[in-house]
Amino acid sequence: MPPTDGEAAMRDLADKANYERLQKDVHAVKNDIAALTDQITDALNAFAGQASKQARSGYRQARDNMDQTFDDMSERGGAMLGAAQDAANSLEERLEDVISQRPLATVGLALGLGFLIGVTWKR
């Protein structure tokens, strides 16, 4: 039996209604995907901003630590240099005292050291 005009019209209306509903659903899915994409982009940007802040903070902290280490090394080096200068001055003063108090012992010591250096030098 061939479809009547009413049946064809009803089928066209049903197909048109289904098509419009399908279009609305597809449009809603597209909007949901776009919103999800925006949320993911925002989350990635926030994560990148946080990572950048942490990197800058880590860099500043490392630089501060490095500066403090150099300052400490400078202080220690200065203290060691001062101690070495004090020791050299003290040794110089002691040698002057020994030379002035015992000139013959000093001459003998100098000759002995000279002899040892000369013997060692020849080998």
Side-chain angles (χ1 to χ4, degrees):
M1 194 181 230
T4 62
D5 289 335
E7 289 177 345
M10 282 299 283
R11 191 176 325 135
D12 287 343
L13 279 177
D15 287 344
K16 187 175 181 181
N18 284 336
Y19 180 74
E20 287 175 359
R21 196 173 331 123
L22 183 62
Q23 273 187 326
K24 286 180 185 179
D25 290 344
V26 168
H27 186 67
V29 168
K30 282 183 181 180
N31 288 340
D32 290 344
I33 290 173
L36 182 60
T37 302
D38 289 342
Q39 289 175 352
I40 290 172
T41 301
D42 292 342
L44 288 175
N45 287 337
F47 177 73
Q50 186 67 23
S52 177
K53 286 178 186 177
Q54 288 178 349
R56 281 193 300 268
S57 175
Y59 171 75
R60 283 188 209 114
Q61 185 177 9
R63 187 171 179 177
D64 290 343
N65 289 342
M66 184 181 67
D67 289 342
Q68 185 166 355
T69 301
F70 281 135
D71 291 343
D72 290 346
M73 288 172 39
S74 295
E75 285 180 26
R76 289 180 184 172
M80 288 189 330
L81 181 61
Q85 287 176 341
D86 290 344
N89 289 336
S90 176
L91 182 62
E92 180 183 357
E93 289 173 4
R94 286 184 186 169
L95 284 174
E96 286 177 4
D97 289 344
V98 168
I99 291 172
S100 65
Q101 291 175 3
R102 298 185 183 145
L104 290 178
T106 304
V107 171
L109 183 62
L111 287 173
L113 285 173
F115 177 75
L116 286 174
I117 291 172
V119 169
T120 307
W121 190 267
K122 285 186 180 184
R123 288 186 183 184

